[in-house]
Amino acid sequence: MASASAKGEGAQLTVLYITGWCRSGSTILGNVLNEVPGFFHVGELSFLWKNAYGNGSNTLCGCGQQLLECGIWNTVLTSDVPAGLTPRAHAAEVVLRQQAAVRTRHTLRVLDEAGDSHALQSHADFLARTYRTIARATGSTVLVDSGKFPSEAALLPRVEGIRPLYLHLVRDPRAVTHSWTKTKQYVVPMSAARSTAYWLGFNAASEEVTRRFPAQSLFLRYEDFIAAPDRAVDTVLDLAGVPRTQNPVKGRTVMLGKNHTVTGNPDRFRSGPTLLRGEDDAWKGELASGAKALTVALAWPLMAKYGYFRGARRAPIGGAAPGAEPRS
């Protein structure tokens, strides 16, 4: 979480948006970045207005309190309510606008400004106010939003008063399929076909965003993050213009404090000394052969592009996605 001396008002506000598909390590990476002075990991912010009033998967903040009872999120939920509406009614309107304008299927329309410009700009203005409220409440200058919606990432250039940065985080779809077979508290299982279809759609849409903004973007595979976590975090700090001396990872260990994440992997509730394991390949022995075959059959074009077949060239840590325009 941001240090008390960081200033959320008046300083340039950076929003580092993590995009890609779920079960790719965004929660742990975001919580690691949460320990960098001046950084604050909001979690999957887009779900705040749905989850807070019991319409989503869970109502807890990463600090363990109900979202409505957490001082930070209560401030956000009540600070921008139009006259004549209750916070609950306002939240319902936010969710309706999200569904109408910034679903993943809308990514290209948002990038090309071909959608309903009034709805998009209204949501961009709302995000500007929301991000600034969070910055004031937390004293942060860098907000890490692990929402993973490429359409929201595409909208960030319209959000006044922020510097948008993009981290396209990818994990082997076979590992993702395996992860979705597990029930974790409020997270329910998903079939191999459905998980892989989402993996393809979200990653293809994420590429469209980072291709448009190569100088503001990083590509990172989860496998490369856990293989060298300190190095991976260094590249993120480089993108944000933060000295590498602020990297909280020491070898493979990081001290995680309390966080205030909205939804995400249930492991977000853990704190204290945390070992970032170098191997996370249980899927190789546990995922059924049929599910493996189906995942590969559907995902092989992007799997090859991202270096997930033996002998394939991996994308460099912190580089552009294979085949994408280079960073300038």
Side-chain angles (χ1 to χ4, degrees):
M1 185 175 173
S3 65
S5 61
K7 301 296 183 183
E9 188 68 54
Q12 182 185 42
L13 179 59
T14 296
V15 175
L16 173 64
Y17 196 96
I18 301 178
T19 187
W21 176 230
C22 302
R23 305 295 182 95
S24 295
S26 63
T27 297
I28 182 60
L29 178 57
N31 281 351
V32 169
L33 293 172
N34 194 62
E35 299 307 316
V36 178
F39 281 56
F40 180 78
H41 181 207
V42 303
E44 299 176 22
L45 182 64
S46 58
F47 289 104
L48 173 64
W49 297 270
K50 184 177 183 179
N51 284 6
Y53 295 97
N55 299 312
S57 59
N58 69 100
T59 60
L60 290 177
C61 172
C63 70
Q65 290 184 298
Q66 295 290 319
L67 290 166
L68 288 171
E69 296 173 358
C70 172
I72 293 172
W73 298 123
N74 181 268
T75 297
V76 172
L77 289 163
T78 59
S79 66
D80 195 41
V81 179
L85 289 181
T86 64
R88 180 185 291 271
H90 172 56
E93 286 195 350
V94 173
V95 173
L96 288 175
R97 189 169 61 238
Q98 290 172 327
Q99 294 173 342
V102 287
R103 299 184 69 177
T104 299
R105 67 187 66 168
H106 301 138
T107 302
L108 285 177
R109 288 195 300 176
V110 176
L111 286 169
D112 296 334
E113 301 186 9
D116 182 338
S117 59
H118 176 73
L120 288 175
Q121 193 57 53
S122 293
H123 196 60
D125 293 343
F126 170 72
L127 284 178
R129 297 190 298 271
T130 300
Y131 283 136
R132 187 58 65 181
T133 297
I134 297 170
R136 286 197 300 266
T138 62
S140 305
T141 54
V142 180
L143 302 181
V144 181
D145 189 339
S146 51
K148 294 181 289 297
F149 282 105
S151 52
E152 283 200 342
L155 186 63
L156 292 187
R158 298 193 192 193
V159 177
E160 185 178 357
I162 71 163
R163 176 180 64 139
L165 300 175
Y166 305 102
L167 175 58
H168 182 187
L169 184 63
V170 172
R171 189 181 184 187
D172 189 316
R174 294 166 292 190
V176 174
T177 292
H178 174 255
S179 181
W180 277 111
T181 66
K182 309 294 184 181
T183 299
K184 276 191 170 186
Q185 295 182 30
Y186 48 81
V187 181
V188 298
M190 185 181 296
S191 70
R194 189 178 183 192
S195 166
T196 307
Y198 278 125
W199 184 91
L200 283 166
F202 274 64
N203 283 309
S206 297
E207 284 190 14
E208 289 295 329
V209 177
T210 58
R211 183 175 64 83
R212 305 286 182 98
F213 306 103
Q216 298 162 246
S217 304
L218 292 177
F219 174 83
L220 178 64
R221 301 191 332 167
Y222 169 75
E223 293 80 6
D224 296 327
F225 163 58
I226 60 171
D230 52 348
R231 181 182 167 204
V233 172
D234 275 345
T235 64
V236 177
L237 297 182
D238 290 345
L239 179 69
V242 174
R244 291 186 173 190
T245 54
Q246 302 298 316
N247 191 334
V249 181
K250 308 302 178 186
R252 290 197 165 280
T253 303
V254 61
M255 177 65 73
L256 296 180
K258 182 172 69 173
N259 68 76
H260 292 277
T261 50
V262 177
T263 199
N265 191 300
D267 290 345
R268 67 195 172 101
F269 298 112
R270 296 179 182 176
S271 60
T274 301
L275 177 66
L276 302 171
R277 296 175 298 159
E279 292 293 335
D280 190 4
D281 56 2
W283 65 268
K284 292 180 180 179
E286 297 179 4
L287 184 62
S289 58
K292 286 182 187 176
L294 178 60
T295 298
V296 172
L298 293 173
W300 70 266
L302 285 187
M303 290 181 68
K305 187 175 185 179
Y306 299 154
Y308 282 117
F309 293 128
R310 182 173 298 176
R313 182 178 67 85
R314 294 185 179 185
I317 290 180
E325 297 175 7
R327 293 176 60 199
S328 58

